[in-house]
C-alpha cells in the first residue's frame, strides 16, 4: 500500500488550522499550506495563533519550491474553491488522493470533474467549535472527519488515507453511506447555519428561543423532503439527534456562516439553500423557509 508522506492544504481557516496543526506534528515541513502570492505576504506579515500558541506553518506558492503531494486537502470556503483548484493543480499528480472538508454535497463533484484521474474521497468535517477572528483560531473541540467511499475503485486509496489518519492521529469515523451522511450534514447546515446568520444569533439563540429552534427544524424538514425525492432517507430521529447536538454546544459559540457574516465575508449560501431551492423546483416541492433565509442572507451580504 502506498504511504502518504507529503500533504498539501488549501484554506487556512478554522478547519484548516485544526487539522494542519495535527498533521504538522508528525510531518513537520512535509505538510504545506498552498497559497497565492497575496496571501503569502499577508501570512508572513501577521502571525497566526491557535489556542494561544504560535502556528509556524510552512507556506508555498510554487511547486518548484516543494513537490507534488500524496494528499491534497481542500479546506477553503466554497466561494474560493475555483481559485484554490487553480493554484493547487501543479501540486497534484495522478496518484494524489484528494479530500474536501467543505460543507454541502457539491465540492467532491467539482473536484472530480477537474481531477478525473484522481481518487476524490468524500469527507465531512464535524463536531468542531473553532472560531477564526483577528488572526486567532480558538477551539475546545477538535471534532472529526467522516470519510467513506461511494464506489469500489476508491478502496485502495481509502485504505491509504485511513492508514495516514491513524499515523498522524486525526480523529475520524468511517461511514457506511457517505452520500447519506453528507445529506444529513447538509440538512443540519441549512437549519443551524442559515438561522444563526440570518437572525444574527449564536447557538444560544437557538437553544433558548423556541421560535428560532422551530425555524431551524422547519428548514431541516424541507431538506428532508427534497432528499426523499432523490431516494435519500433522512429520518425524524436524525433531526432530533442534530437538535440535541446543537443544544450541547457552547452558548456563545457560533456556526461558520454567522462568523462569515460578522466578518463581512462571502458566505457558503450557495452550498445550503442555494443547493436545495433548485432541487425543490425540479421536484415541485415548496421550501418557503429555505427561500426566506436565502433572501435574508443575500440581502445581508449586499450590505457589506
Amino acid at each position: 500500500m502506498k504511504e502518504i508522506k507529503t500533504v498539501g492544504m488549501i484554506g487556512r481557516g478554522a478547519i484548516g488550522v485544526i487539522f494542519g496543526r495535527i498533521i504538522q506534528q508528525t510531518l513537520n515541513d512535509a505538510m504545506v499550506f498552498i497559497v497565492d502570492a497575496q496571501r503569502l505576504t499577508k501570512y508572513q506579515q501577521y502571525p497566526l495563533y491557535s489556542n494561544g500558541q504560535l502556528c509556524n506553518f510552512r507556506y508555498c506558492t510554487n511547486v518548484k519550491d516543494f513537490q507534488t503531494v500524496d494528499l491534497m486537502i481542500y479546506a477553503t470556503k466554497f466561494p474560493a474553491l475555483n481559485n484554490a483548484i487553480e493554484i493547487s493543480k501543479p501540486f497534484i499528480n495522478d496518484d494524489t488522493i484528494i479530500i474536501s472538508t467543505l460543507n454541502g454535497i457539491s465540492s467532491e463533484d467539482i473536484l472530480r470533474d477537474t481531477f478525473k484521474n484522481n481518487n476524490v474521497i468524500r469527507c465531512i468535517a464535524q463536531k468542531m467549535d473553532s472560531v477564526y477572528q483577528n488572526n486567532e483560531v480558538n477551539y475546545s473541540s477538535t471534532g472529526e472527519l467522516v470519510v467513506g467511499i461511494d464506489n469500489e475503485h476508491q478502496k485502495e486509496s481509502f485504505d491509504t488515507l485511513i492508514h495516514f489518519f491513524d499515523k498522524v492521529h486525526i480523529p475520524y469515523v468511517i461511514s457506511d453511506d457517505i452520500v447519506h451522511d453528507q445529506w444529513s450534514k447538509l440538512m443540519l447546515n441549512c437549519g443551524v447555519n442559515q438561522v444563526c446568520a440570518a437572525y444574527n444569533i449564536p447557538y444560544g439563540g437557538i437553544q433558548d428561543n423556541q421560535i428560532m429552534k422551530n425555524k431551524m427544524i422547519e428548514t431541516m424538514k424541507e431538506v428532508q423532503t427534497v432528499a426523499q425525492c432523490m431516494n435519500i432517507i433522512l429520518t425524524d430521529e436524525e433531526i432530533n439527534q442534530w437538535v440535541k447536538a446543537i443544544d450541547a454546544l457552547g452558548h456563545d459559540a457560533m456556526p461558520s456562516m454567522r462568523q462569515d457574516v460578522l466578518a463581512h465575508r462571502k458566505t457558503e449560501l450557495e452550498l445550503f439553500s442555494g443547493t436545495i431551492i433548485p432541487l425543490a423546483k425540479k421536484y415541485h416541492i415548496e421550501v418557503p423557509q429555505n427561500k426566506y433565509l436565502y433572501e435574508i442572507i443575500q440581502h445581508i451580504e449586499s450590505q457589506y
Side-chain angles (χ1 to χ4, degrees):
M1 176 173 38
K2 183 177 182 291
E3 186 175 355
I4 294 172
K5 297 181 179 180
T6 54
V7 176
M9 178 89 74
I10 302 186
R12 201 199 66 171
I15 293 177
V17 169
I18 288 178
F19 293 105
R21 290 182 71 194
I22 293 173
I23 295 169
Q24 186 188 48
Q25 289 175 5
T26 300
L27 296 192
N28 297 311
D29 283 349
M31 194 281 293
V32 296
F33 277 90
I34 298 167
V35 298
D36 56 27
Q38 183 178 3
R39 281 188 173 83
L40 177 62
T41 300
K42 177 183 176 182
Y43 293 167
Q44 290 174 334
Q45 186 175 2
Y46 300 104
L48 173 71
Y49 291 85
S50 178
N51 285 349
Q53 295 184 344
L54 179 66
C55 296
N56 290 312
F57 291 131
R58 180 178 180 181
Y59 302 106
C60 190
T61 60
N62 194 316
V63 69
K64 294 179 181 179
D65 298 325
F66 190 62
Q67 58 185 298
T68 58
V69 298
D70 299 320
L71 172 65
M72 182 68 72
I73 303 174
Y74 292 87
T76 187
K77 294 288 188 178
F78 184 68
L81 179 58
N82 287 336
N83 182 62
I85 288 172
E86 288 305 312
I87 67 173
S88 68
K89 282 180 178 177
F91 293 85
I92 292 178
N93 60 57
D94 285 349
D95 294 323
T96 302
I97 299 168
I98 297 172
I99 63 173
S100 164
T101 66
L102 274 71
N103 286 313
I105 58 174
S106 306
S107 63
E108 283 90 356
D109 292 332
I110 293 170
L111 289 165
R112 287 174 179 177
D113 285 343
T114 304
F115 302 109
K116 298 183 186 302
N117 294 327
N118 298 87
N119 277 319
V120 179
I121 307 297
R122 291 191 179 274
C123 176
I124 304 165
Q126 66 180 26
K127 297 184 179 179
M128 60 282 299
D129 59 359
S130 51
V131 176
Y132 191 139
Q133 291 179 326
N134 301 321
N135 289 315
E136 292 188 19
V137 176
N138 293 298
Y139 57 93
S140 60
S141 174
T142 300
E144 63 192 13
L145 299 181
V146 182
V147 288
I149 59 174
D150 52 345
N151 56 67
E152 281 303 314
H153 82 264
Q154 298 173 332
K155 184 68 168 59
E156 183 177 352
S157 292
F158 183 76
D159 290 343
T160 300
L161 181 65
I162 295 303
H163 177 75
F164 173 74
F165 285 173
D166 288 333
K167 173 184 173 182
V168 301
H169 308 295
I170 285 180
Y172 68 91
V173 174
I174 296 177
S175 168
D176 293 329
D177 189 344
I178 189 63
V179 175
H180 168 275
D181 290 346
Q182 284 189 317
W183 266 92
S184 186
K185 179 73 182 301
L186 173 61
M187 178 175 67
L188 169 69
N189 285 334
C190 284
V192 70
N193 270 274
Q194 294 185 144
V195 168
C196 286
Y199 293 97
N200 192 27
I201 54 176
Y203 292 127
I206 288 176
Q207 294 162 353
D208 299 339
N209 188 317
Q210 192 61 45
I211 293 175
M212 291 295 108
K213 183 171 287 188
N214 288 342
K215 287 182 181 293
M216 179 184 74
I217 293 170
E218 289 168 14
T219 305
M220 292 170 71
K221 283 187 171 293
E222 290 178 357
V223 178
Q224 180 189 41
T225 303
V226 171
Q228 187 172 4
C229 292
M230 304 175 67
N231 297 317
I232 297 168
I233 305 304
L234 304 174
T235 66
D236 289 343
E237 179 57 25
E238 285 180 77
I239 294 176
N240 292 336
Q241 289 301 318
W242 282 126
V243 173
K244 289 179 181 178
I246 296 302
D247 284 342
L249 295 173
H251 192 270
D252 295 324
M254 67 189 82
S256 59
M257 182 174 273
R258 185 177 184 240
Q259 294 180 45
D260 290 339
V261 167
L262 291 177
H264 288 186
R265 293 190 293 258
K266 183 75 172 175
T267 73
E268 294 184 314
L269 185 63
E270 296 305 323
L271 283 181
F272 301 154
S273 54
T275 296
I276 295 302
I277 292 170
L279 288 172
K281 183 178 181 180
K282 175 181 177 180
Y283 293 109
H284 308 289
I285 298 168
E286 293 298 322
V287 287
Q289 288 293 333
N290 276 278
K291 285 183 177 179
Y292 182 64
L293 292 168
Y294 185 86
E295 291 171 0
I296 291 178
I297 296 167
Q298 267 199 326
H299 176 72
I300 290 172
E301 290 186 12
S302 73
Q303 301 303 303
Y304 292 168

